[in-house]
Amino acid sequence: MDGGTSTTGATPEWRSAMIDVSGLSLTELTADADADGDPADQSPLAYCLRRLAADLAHPGEPIAGFNSAL
Amino acid sequence: MGATGVTAARPHRLSDAALASLGAGRPGPATLAELRRARLSRHLLLLREIAVLARTEDFAALAAAERAAPDRVRELLARPLFGVWAARCLTALRAGATPDSAGTGHLSELAARARIPRPRREDGRQLTAEHDGLRITVRLEDTDPLRAELGLPPTAALDAAEHQRWQTLFAGAWRLLVDRVRPDAEVLAGLLDCVVPVRTDPAARGISATSADAFGAVAISEPADATALAVGLLHEIQHSILNGVQYLFDLLEEPGELGYSPWRDDPRPASGILHGAYAYLTVTRFWRTRRDPLGQFEFARWRAAVATAAGDLRGLTPAGERFVGALLGEVRPWLDEPVDPRVRRLAEGANRDHRLRWRLRNLHVGPADAAALADAWRRGERPPPVTPVLRPAPRRALEASARLDLTHRLLRGLPLDGAAGDLAYVRGDDGAALSAYRKNPGDRAAWAGMVLAGGLDAAPELAAAAYRALGDQERPDPLAMVKWVS
């Protein structure tokens, strides 16, 4: 499960299943993309991509319907 | 050789204090920055999957554009509607669509756009406001076809007069927000990227929406006034923040489990109930600053609804426990704050009324159970144990109540015109209200009204089902039936 806590440090923190690729260039992002797809792959990247795929496969409805006028 | 690039990337992290600040609806600038980075990570990971599946020149074109104009490409990829496009494109590719039909050409369009010198006024349309040293600028998105994916039908491109009306309302809303809830205004300034005008829904007066794929975008109909826009923006950006948190962490073990939501007439999944509670947290905080009867009513109503809805959530993950615990820690102290007793009666009544009408609408008593109830009534026995079944609704149902409309009019000091029972109820004449409601048992609102005005603790759907099963010939007193099941 994502959202594991680390309470061993001075400051507890929550680690996401999503990896931080915000600083990568597009070239870096796809440099080793051919290695993807092994269902036995337990790497953080593989887990992150499976979670993303599950998210897309079960999209929630848009949150709509707020009556802002009284 | 060690891992590099994406395989070496570390997870996104939030400190415990940051996650709690998000739950409480009080995130600081560093936490907002982490959410924006999470959005970019999500967009890039979607894009990576698209590149792997599509293998077109479009991605290569964008990568080349990035080498020439890295900041500009990054900015375009971080936009909320790019998330909408990427989710749609990848879903289509995985379903077997060709790259062309999945829309990968959009990447080449972005590449071309990134190479054009940035226009002095980005994309022409903006909404801007500044008050008391706090400034906000957002894009007014009224042309991009992707805006139709946010959940509500968008308007056509605005003409100059419409744009001006939006700008005037936006400036007015901003003054209200900065004056009354400045920390929330700072959150809006940090996260709100674009506003998409949508068509007004005649059933909803003002309506707005947020897509989980479009973090930072708000779809909203032209508001009635600056207050409606201020509250609508507060509400919608909370949905975006919660979506951003859920990019990072699962908060619910069973997000699809249906239940009661104080904000909708249809059954909602647990994920929607959490969204409602979180969105109304800052709405409640806004109304807390108002001392007029309507403001006090909204405050009293929503503080209780938020606390109840969040407190009733089950199956929270550890991160969900932390998040919802902080949410409850924020709202529960408000429950003790004084509110004019007359307004409080109406607010608590509105919440009870909604739940009663929701039960009548969504809890189905089967024919055998209804017949058993009717038989017990005829024999003068106590009602048998019956468990109504929750039925999913075929479509979205926004809250609609003549009694609530009348309450709003009363609190605004406007002339009252409505059904006799409702008029008596809002004025506090419960005896007259009961007399009126018991004459109209074909009306769902009348059944709820009898429970409400009678101060009863009853399952109205049982009384209504038994009444229907007894048929016209027997015609029992509906109020007696409500008391029977209470």
Side-chain angles (χ1 to χ4, degrees), chain A:
Chain A
M1 190 188 72
D2 66 327
T5 50
S6 166
T7 53
T8 54
T11 308
E13 67 175 10
W14 296 82
R15 287 188 300 271
S16 172
M18 177 179 279
I19 57 172
D20 185 355
V21 296
S22 60
L24 299 184
S25 71
L26 296 182
T27 305
E28 291 169 323
L29 192 68
T30 52
D32 45 12
D34 288 341
D36 288 359
D38 179 359
D41 187 350
Q42 295 300 314
S43 69
L45 171 64
Y47 183 71
C48 173
L49 292 176
R50 283 198 290 271
R51 183 174 180 269
L52 196 56
D55 192 25
L56 287 190
H58 303 97
E61 63 176 293
I63 302 296
F66 177 55
N67 273 313
S68 54
L70 293 170

Side-chain angles (χ1 to χ4, degrees), chain B residues 1 72 87 91 151 185 190 261 266 276 305 309 326 341 370 389 393 409 425 455 465 486:
Chain B
M1 194 176 79
R72 178 68 172 146
T91 300
S261 162
D266 50 335
V389 177
R409 291 185 66 81
Y425 169 75
S486 69

